[in-house]
Amino acid sequence: MEIRRLNAGEIAPALFAGFDRRQEVNLCWRRGPDGSWEVRPDPFTDDWTAKELADLIADLAKTAACGGAVFAAFTEGRMAGFCSLSGKPSGSRGQYRDLTNLHVSRESRGQGIGRQLFAQAAAEGRRMGGERLYLSAHSADETQRFYRNLGCRDAEEIIPAHVKAEPFDCQLEFLL
């Protein structure tokens, strides 16, 4: 496997040929009446529509062109996973670097690719001067276990735009 930083010109639909985003979700993290996290059934299938994929590709290219970073993991010449980090600081003190994406193709999950991409994003976040990564993370139980096993925790400061965009996401941070 090879992980490398992508430039804006490399981020095109062909890069995503064969990338399988599909995730069958059964259990999700939800806030209970007392505000604590509960894991409960909320089954659905998560996947990208053609428009969502086109929007993602445009957003990734913009991120790479505007001071952010996009890293991709390749196995046998095919993209198996990717992550992106915004170039703009966020948070009340500019303490956060926003991990805007981290996805691993379905057939490549469970092989450590996500961990390696996360480590790459954390290193880049430190290089950019961040104190913490900010993640608006999918609420699926397996996704939350992944991030929390890496050391992510509930964010001390919530970024309202993320909650508005994905109200069921869990707002997390990772100390750099």
Side-chain angles (χ1 to χ4, degrees):
M1 182 187 58
E2 170 197 14
I3 295 180
R4 63 182 173 83
R5 188 175 186 146
L6 302 178
N7 63 52
E10 295 177 280
I11 302 168
L15 186 65
F16 291 83
F19 192 92
D20 188 355
R21 162 65 182 99
R22 190 177 179 88
Q23 183 177 3
E24 299 294 337
V25 177
N26 292 304
L27 298 174
C28 292
W29 285 46
R30 300 288 188 251
R31 291 280 185 191
D34 66 354
S36 65
W37 288 113
E38 298 176 350
V39 178
R40 58 182 184 230
D42 192 1
F44 64 95
T45 300
D46 202 0
D47 206 349
W48 293 319
T49 65
K51 181 184 181 330
E52 288 169 333
L53 180 56
D55 290 347
L56 171 69
I57 292 167
D59 186 56
L60 290 172
K62 181 179 177 185
T63 295
C66 295
V70 178
F71 296 97
F74 294 91
T75 57
E76 300 174 11
R78 183 188 60 78
M79 187 173 69
F82 67 94
C83 67
S84 60
L85 194 64
S86 174
K88 297 186 308 188
S90 61
S92 60
R93 303 180 328 278
Q95 72 272 31
Y96 289 124
R97 297 305 177 269
D98 197 348
L99 180 65
T100 51
N101 289 283
L102 194 159
H103 296 282
V104 175
S105 190
R106 183 164 54 166
E107 74 285 348
S108 298
R109 293 177 191 151
Q111 299 174 23
I113 294 169
R115 284 182 174 276
Q116 291 182 53
L117 287 166
F118 187 87
Q120 196 75 36
E124 183 66 14
R126 277 190 290 280
R127 190 194 68 70
M128 296 168 117
E131 296 172 18
R132 304 159 189 230
L133 290 182
Y134 188 92
L135 302 79
S136 181
H138 199 289
S139 63
D141 183 46
E142 58 272 22
T143 302
Q144 286 302 303
R145 284 187 283 118
F146 167 78
Y147 284 124
R148 290 171 190 272
N149 285 337
L150 290 172
C152 295
R153 63 184 190 197
D154 290 345
E156 287 181 5
E157 185 176 324
I158 303 299
I159 298 177
H162 286 297
V163 176
K164 183 177 180 184
E166 292 290 346
F168 290 111
D169 275 5
C170 300
Q171 307 304 306
L172 305 176
E173 67 179 25
F174 178 79
L175 295 176
L176 299 173

